[in-house]
């Protein structure tokens, strides 16, 4: 019996926000590959591991893969290729293998490289859907993210100030991922006093680290971390 390699979405950070299907799949897996980063002083951090531990998943089946945080993307791609080869080896021994990612595993998720590598080489892959961080953010702020005929734009942090202004002024609801990459563009929009509400979130669902504000002066003063996003409404 061979089992498909399953990409399980962990949800945004709060362990209980994984799906029942995702949890059951992790509980019956033989090997679970999870992303981790190693800081300059050698310390491993992994939000995925934090979630897996909270869910009481057997630590003996957990295998980290280290994702270099370098601007040189080729280092990260080499790391994804190496873990893909390891997964292929283990698959061939008949193990039930999972790869996990925070939020939804098919939404701005870097494990896409592993998924593509495996499916391009004709290995059977499956995905289990999860709650992306922006959906959990809407719940935290108690807002309706889009209503009626409103349009939603989800943009990565490479957006320019002029592009962002145009979208806000045309009445689109904008979700910005990886806000730390476009802090200046957002500050420019706030300072121009566009008629908009800026909902700013950090570490949604993470105990002791979660932060939410729609106060623009607090946003302007904030040092923006990697796990942050915005929802902007006109
Ligand atoms: N697959 C994830 C997105 C990964 S891209 C999802 O479905 O949500 C990484 C970006 O996601 C971060 O830069 C940040 O913008 C956002 N993000 C992920 N988890 C978050 C959290 N708990 N709180 C706030 N933003 C988060």
């Amino acid at each position: 019996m061979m089992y498909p390699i399953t990409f399980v979405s962990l949800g945004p950070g709060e362990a209980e926000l994984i799906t029942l299907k995702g949890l059951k799949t992790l509980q019956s897996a033989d090997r679970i590959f999870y992303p981790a980063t190693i800081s300059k002083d050698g310390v491993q951090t992994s939000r995925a591991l934090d979630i897996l531990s909270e869910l009481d998943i057997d630590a003996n089946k957990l295998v980290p893969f280290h994702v270099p945080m370098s601007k040189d993307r080729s280092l990260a791609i080499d790391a994804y290729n190496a873990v893909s080869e390891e997964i292929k080896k283990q698959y061939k021994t008949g193990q039930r293998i999972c790869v996990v990612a925070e939020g939804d595993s098919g939404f701005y998720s870097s494990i896409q490289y592993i998924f593509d590598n495996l499916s391009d080489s004709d290995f059977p892959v499956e995905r289990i859907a999860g709650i992306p961080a922006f959906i959990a953010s809407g719940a935290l702020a108690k807002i309706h993210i889009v209503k009626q005929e409103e349009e939603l734009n989800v943009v990565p942090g490479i957006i320019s100030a002029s592009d962002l202004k145009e979208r806000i002024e045309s009445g689109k609801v904008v979700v910005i991922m990886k806000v730390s990459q476009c802090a200046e563009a957002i500050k420019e929009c706030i300072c121009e006093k566009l008629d908009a509400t800026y909902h700013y979130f950090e570490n949604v669902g993470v105990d002791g680290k979660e932060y939410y504000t729609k106060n623009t002066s607090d946003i302007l003063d904030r040092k923006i971390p990697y796990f942050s996003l915005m929802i902007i409404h006109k």
Side-chain angles (χ1 to χ4, degrees):
M1 177 80 187
M2 301 298 263
Y3 301 91
I5 300 148
T6 308
F7 287 72
V8 179
S9 305
L10 293 174
E14 186 180 344
E16 288 192 349
L17 288 185
I18 190 171
T19 62
L20 211 45
K21 185 171 182 180
L23 179 61
K24 285 180 179 167
T25 306
L26 294 178
Q27 285 167 338
S28 57
D30 299 307
R31 283 267 171 282
I32 300 170
F33 288 82
Y34 69 90
T37 50
I38 299 210
S39 67
K40 281 190 199 97
D41 38 17
V43 180
Q44 170 175 299
T45 53
S46 168
R47 180 149 295 178
L49 177 60
D50 295 342
I51 300 171
L52 292 165
S53 310
E54 257 192 77
L55 293 171
D56 282 331
I57 302 298
D58 180 358
N60 293 319
K61 42 191 200 186
L62 303 181
V63 189
F65 57 92
H66 296 118
V67 185
M69 287 305 257
S70 160
K71 284 224 164 70
D72 177 0
R73 289 302 293 159
S74 69
L75 294 176
I77 290 168
D78 289 348
Y80 292 123
N81 286 339
V83 70
S84 304
E85 294 314 312
E86 179 62 24
I87 290 170
K88 289 173 192 172
K89 257 196 250 158
Q90 304 226 2
Y91 166 82
K92 287 178 183 155
T93 65
Q95 303 202 58
R96 283 167 295 193
I97 296 172
C98 290
V99 185
V100 296
E102 307 106 46
D104 179 79
S105 68
F107 189 78
Y108 288 111
S109 183
S110 44
I111 62 167
Q112 155 235 329
Y113 291 106
I114 303 174
F115 188 94
D116 289 349
N117 181 314
L118 296 171
S119 53
D120 290 349
S121 335
D122 294 326
F123 282 75
V125 282
E126 258 181 19
R127 273 193 51 226
I128 295 180
I131 299 180
F134 81 94
I135 293 290
S137 299
L140 172 63
K142 300 181 190 148
I143 55 172
H144 210 85
I145 297 175
V146 269
K147 359 182 215 303
Q148 311 270 338
E149 274 98 43
E150 281 175 350
E151 211 180 285
L152 178 67
N153 282 190
V154 182
V155 299
I158 52 168
I159 193 162
S160 67
S162 59
D163 186 354
L164 183 57
K165 263 183 249 173
E166 213 171 282
R167 290 174 201 246
I168 297 171
E169 283 177 329
S170 69
K172 294 190 173 101
V173 177
V174 184
V175 168
I176 309 178
M177 307 293 293
K178 304 188 185 171
V179 171
S180 53
Q181 293 175 3
C182 64
E184 288 314 310
I186 291 167
K187 288 178 180 169
E188 209 176 306
C189 290
I190 292 178
C191 292
E192 282 203 19
K193 303 215 179 309
L194 303 182
D195 174 25
T197 307
Y198 300 83
H199 299 273
Y200 170 75
F201 305 88
E202 286 173 13
N203 299 303
V204 173
V206 182
D207 236 5
K209 285 192 176 170
E210 185 175 80
Y211 177 78
Y212 161 61
T213 187
K214 54 181 176 174
N215 179 315
T216 47
S217 40
D218 289 345
I219 300 171
L220 289 173
D221 288 344
R222 197 85 188 159
K223 190 172 174 301
I224 304 201
Y226 176 73
F227 283 105
S228 61
L229 65 84
M230 279 190 108
I231 303 176
I232 307 174
H233 276 149
K234 193 163 177 189

